[in-house]
Amino acid sequence: MASFILCEPCSHEGNTQNAEKWCTDCNEGFCHICEKAHKSLRITREHNLILIEDYRKIENVNVSIQCEEHGSKLELYCKAHEKAICIACLPTRHNVCSESIIPLAEAAKNAKTSTAVADLEYTINNTLVNIRTCLNEREAATERIEIQEKIIKKRIFDTRETINNHLDDLEGKLLNELTTTHTSCKSKYGTIQNQLKEIEKQTKRLQEQTFQLKRFAPDIQLFLSTHQMNKEIHDEVKSITKTLSSVRDYDIEIEIHQGITSLLKDVDYFGRIKIDESTTNCPFKDAKIDQAQIQVPTKQQVPTRRSIDSTKLKLRKKFKIEQKGREMYIAGCAILANGNLLFADNKGHSVLMEYNEEGHFIRDIPVSAQPWDMTVIDTDQIAVSYFLEYIEVIDLKKMAVLKTVKFKNNCRGISYSDGKIYVVVYDVGIVVLDMEGTILNTIKCDMSVYNITTIKERLYYTVPTSNTVYCCTTSTTRNNIWNLNDRSLNAPGGITTDSSQYLFVVGIHSNNLMIFQDDGKVSKTLLTEADGLDKPIRLYYNKKTNILLVCNQLNGYAFLYSVLFD
């Protein structure tokens, strides 16, 4: 782009003069003098002149003002075809559109406030939002594989270390066995050697005695001694023969375990790196189609609210959760999209326990610490809170931590609704985050709150110490809507809602489950101690299947109910 724009009339006269205004009708620049002349002519008096600085902002916008077919200037507009045309287009393609032809200038009136521009702006803005969402998703995906690489590296190192430790242990045992075998064989050899040395000593004694008797003893004494010593030497020979008959030779050898040999010979790779590909669900849709799909419900479409009295529970399954530690404290539970159940034991190991609907154990899902609470985000993702001052978003399918968000204090109850995560942070409040981990706002609340649930624009939480259930908006300030203190509900704990915003709350000390209308004024007891509740602590409602999960605090019993509406 040139550093300046010349005045076209001056250039035509051979003069070089910078333009100060731009005529959008003539598509030419004008200096101050030529601008006055341009405005003085009747034919150009109504032309639109803008500052050169403003023209620079739209200079590179490629807009054709000539007909592509005829090369003439676009001067007319056909409303029937919604197209700008030139004079030559009339007899060829628009000969039957006479009633729909208007001047292009008339069609362009109020263009800046037209719905077409508004639609264009909406489409552009929507596209930018979609692009940013996809970029965020790609950034999250990149971060996810970075985390996966670290996890896999750690697993490789841990596996190698485990193998090394196991081989070190096996080597130590083998060396100990070698030492024991060598010592045993050497000891047996030593025993024989000692016996032979003793016989050798006795034989040398007889040899010396014979020599001395032969030199100094009389014949009778020599004669008698010879017979006696012959018998003694024959006894020694027999003893030597007997001793040598039991002597064994030992050769120490080694047989390497076939698995070790196979490892060196047949195992030619440590592992395989696999890629699990899946379709990315980026939110790119045609903005107009997306707008067209937004429907305003009619009065006939508004569902009729049911009565609390019509709500009943039907027991589907009662089972006991396996205890993993010395104590059990079920701090969180959830129902996955496939119907499986998750439990968080804050006194057990650093795992989430997964069961099927029949109460059969499926697997332990390793997590980074003892979990406190959890919430389901979608089919494969959950969010887990920890007392160690952080939360994690976990992909259950890929067994990977997608996001870790740290806080100043310990984290307690957690809930998910409409793309936002709500977590109780001690001495801070209920912190609201988006899926990128960005803190959107903090809702002030009672510092003794442990359990929360969210739906639409409302947030509910329980404070066991004051026997109170609160309902507030999800805005920055608490904006309390109502709170209730029901005598029938002693130490309210777990809390959840159904699709109609009816509340299910368990009483830890009153051993009951109650349902409340969303204003907190109407209630009904659904379960009591007679139904097996013993310090019920947590519950979870699946809004799609109308299945309710209730957990006792200490004895590990879980109850699965169908929620029925008469």
Side-chain angles (χ1 to χ4, degrees):
M1 185 174 66
S3 59
F4 58 88
I5 296 175
L6 295 176
C7 173
E8 285 295 331
C10 289
S11 298
H12 186 69
E13 296 294 331
N15 298 324
T16 302
Q17 186 69 33
N18 290 346
E20 297 180 15
K21 293 288 184 70
W22 183 269
C23 178
T24 59
D25 294 280
C26 298
N27 206 26
E28 288 182 351
F30 294 88
C31 66
H32 179 65
I33 296 174
C34 293
E35 176 197 353
K36 289 183 177 180
H38 194 66
K39 287 184 176 180
S40 66
L41 297 175
R42 179 182 298 176
I43 193 171
T44 58
R45 191 172 298 160
E46 299 299 325
H47 282 197
N48 183 42
L49 291 164
I50 61 175
L51 293 172
I52 288 297
E53 291 78 8
D54 294 335
Y55 167 68
R56 290 288 195 187
K57 297 175 183 177
I58 60 172
E59 180 180 8
N60 294 321
V61 179
N62 187 19
V63 179
S64 177
I65 61 173
Q66 291 184 330
C67 177
E68 294 179 358
E69 183 177 355
H70 302 105
S72 303
K73 186 178 179 180
L74 298 173
E75 299 181 68
L76 303 173
Y77 183 78
C78 179
K79 294 190 291 183
H81 291 90
E82 296 184 348
K83 185 177 181 181
I85 61 175
C86 68
I87 298 295
C89 291
L90 281 175
T92 57
R93 298 184 180 275
H94 300 272
N95 56 337
V96 296
C97 304
S98 58
E99 295 183 0
S100 301
I101 303 298
I102 60 175
L104 183 59
E106 181 181 341
K109 283 183 179 180
N110 302 319
K112 292 184 179 180
T113 58
S114 67
T115 57
V117 173
D119 288 344
L120 175 62
E121 290 177 331
Y122 174 83
T123 301
I124 291 172
N125 292 335
N126 189 66
T127 302
L128 288 173
V129 170
N130 287 337
I131 291 173
R132 175 46 52 189
T133 301
C134 288
L135 282 172
N136 291 339
E137 195 277 334
R138 289 299 85 198
E139 290 171 1
T142 302
E143 184 177 345
R144 185 166 63 248
I145 63 171
E146 294 289 341
I147 295 172
Q148 290 170 354
E149 183 199 24
K150 292 179 182 178
I151 292 173
I152 291 173
K153 277 186 178 179
K154 186 177 185 303
R155 186 175 178 185
I156 292 172
F157 295 150
D158 290 347
T159 303
R160 176 61 182 271
E161 185 178 2
T162 301
I163 292 173
N164 289 344
N165 292 338
H166 187 57
L167 288 176
D168 289 343
D169 184 51
L170 294 178
E171 180 188 31
K173 290 180 180 178
L174 184 59
L175 290 174
N176 289 336
E177 183 182 355
L178 175 61
T179 301
T180 302
T181 302
H182 169 260
T183 302
S184 176
C185 292
K186 186 177 179 180
S187 176
K188 290 177 181 179
Y189 282 163
T191 301
I192 297 297
Q193 288 173 329
N194 291 335
Q195 290 177 354
L196 288 173
K197 287 179 180 178
E198 182 61 30
I199 293 172
E200 181 185 33
K201 180 180 177 182
Q202 295 300 326
T203 302
K204 284 183 177 180
R205 179 182 59 78
L206 291 174
Q207 183 185 36
E208 178 64 24
Q209 289 177 351
T210 301
F211 176 75
Q212 296 299 334
L213 286 170
K214 186 178 177 180
R215 288 182 62 187
F216 303 111
D219 291 341
I220 294 176
Q221 186 178 1
L222 179 60
F223 177 78
L224 293 174
S225 297
T226 300
H227 285 280
Q228 293 174 5
M229 294 175 72
N230 267 328
K231 183 179 182 305
E232 192 172 346
I233 191 65
H234 283 301
D235 288 342
E236 291 293 342
V237 170
K238 286 182 181 180
S239 177
I240 293 172
T241 304
K242 184 178 180 181
T243 299
L244 293 177
S245 67
S246 63
V247 172
R248 295 288 183 270
D249 283 333
Y250 303 100
D251 292 318
I252 302 176
E253 298 178 352
I254 184 171
E255 179 182 347
I256 301 297
H257 191 283
Q258 186 177 356
I260 303 294
T261 306
S262 176
L263 174 66
L264 298 173
K265 180 181 178 181
D266 301 328
V267 179
D268 56 358
Y269 64 90
F270 197 92
R272 298 285 193 198
I273 304 300
K274 298 181 179 181
I275 298 178
D276 183 13
E277 295 187 10
S278 59
T279 303
T280 301
N281 186 25
C282 276
F284 259 95
K285 297 179 182 178
D286 189 298
K288 292 183 179 179
I289 294 176
D290 203 35
Q291 283 180 307
Q293 291 177 341
I294 301 174
Q295 299 179 356
V296 179
T298 62
K299 292 183 179 180
Q300 289 76 14
Q301 292 174 317
V302 177
T304 304
R305 296 201 65 182
R306 69 177 191 276
S307 168
I308 279 183
D309 292 332
S310 66
T311 305
K312 296 180 180 179
L313 300 181
K314 181 181 179 181
L315 182 64
R316 296 167 60 94
K317 196 70 181 180
K318 173 185 176 182
F319 60 94
K320 193 167 186 178
I321 306 165
E322 181 183 353
Q323 185 170 330
K324 298 296 177 71
R326 293 183 178 180
E327 299 179 55
M328 176 176 281
Y329 187 91
I330 301 300
C333 64
I335 303 176
L336 299 176
N338 61 5
N340 288 350
L341 317 172
L342 283 184
F343 300 96
D345 181 4
N346 189 247
K347 297 292 186 180
H349 301 313
S350 299
V351 296
L352 299 175
M353 298 173 286
E354 184 173 359
Y355 285 72
N356 64 16
E357 292 178 287
E358 296 301 316
H360 300 306
F361 176 77
I362 298 176
R363 60 170 175 165
D364 282 335
I365 300 173
V367 290
S368 59
Q370 288 177 316
W372 178 260
D373 197 5
M374 74 187 97
T375 185
V376 176
I377 295 176
D378 58 26
T379 304
D380 298 319
Q381 294 184 16
I382 61 171
V384 183
S385 63
Y386 302 91
F387 246 39
L388 299 178
E389 303 174 0
Y390 66 94
I391 68 168
E392 290 178 333
V393 177
I394 299 174
D395 189 313
L396 295 177
K397 183 178 180 182
K398 299 180 180 179
M399 294 297 291
V401 176
L402 305 181
K403 181 73 63 176
T404 300
V405 184
K406 296 183 178 181
F407 300 92
K408 294 190 296 183
N409 295 323
N410 59 60
C411 301
R412 298 173 176 174
I414 190 169
S415 182
Y416 171 83
S417 179
D418 296 330
K420 298 175 184 177
I421 297 175
Y422 300 76
V423 58
V424 178
V425 180
Y426 177 71
D427 206 27
V428 175
I430 300 172
V431 180
V432 186
L433 310 99
D434 62 17
M435 291 307 297
E436 297 303 315
T438 303
I439 296 178
L440 302 177
N441 63 284
T442 299
I443 302 170
K444 298 300 180 182
C445 62
D446 190 300
M447 288 300 103
S448 299
V449 58
Y450 275 82
N451 304 295
I452 62 173
T453 188
T454 50
I455 183 172
K456 298 179 181 178
E457 297 299 321
R458 291 196 175 188
L459 185 149
Y460 305 88
Y461 62 92
T462 58
V463 180
T465 54
S466 63
N467 295 327
T468 309
V469 179
Y470 289 90
C471 170
C472 64
T473 64
T474 55
S475 59
T476 305
T477 55
R478 183 167 66 173
N479 289 338
N480 191 57
I481 299 175
W482 55 259
N483 58 276
L484 65 90
N485 189 305
D486 194 301
R487 294 182 179 179
S488 303
L489 197 66
N490 192 349
I495 184 170
T496 188
T497 66
D498 65 6
S499 301
S500 299
Q501 298 188 40
Y502 285 168
L503 286 180
F504 295 85
V505 188
V506 290
I508 302 173
H509 294 160
S510 52
N511 292 328
N512 61 344
L513 167 69
M514 298 184 68
I515 182 174
F516 293 88
Q517 195 166 299
D518 62 359
D519 58 5
K521 295 179 180 179
V522 182
S523 64
K524 176 184 177 181
T525 299
L526 297 176
L527 298 173
T528 65
E529 192 172 351
D531 297 294
L533 298 191
D534 183 10
K535 291 189 176 180
I537 185 78
R538 298 289 182 267
L539 71 166
Y540 188 92
Y541 189 92
N542 188 317
K543 298 177 178 64
K544 293 184 178 180
T545 60
N546 293 324
I547 301 296
L548 181 68
L549 175 62
V550 185
C551 301
N552 283 344
Q553 177 179 344
L554 300 176
N555 64 16
Y557 275 105
F559 306 84
L560 209 57
Y561 290 94
S562 293
V563 182
L564 307 177
F565 316 115
D566 292 341

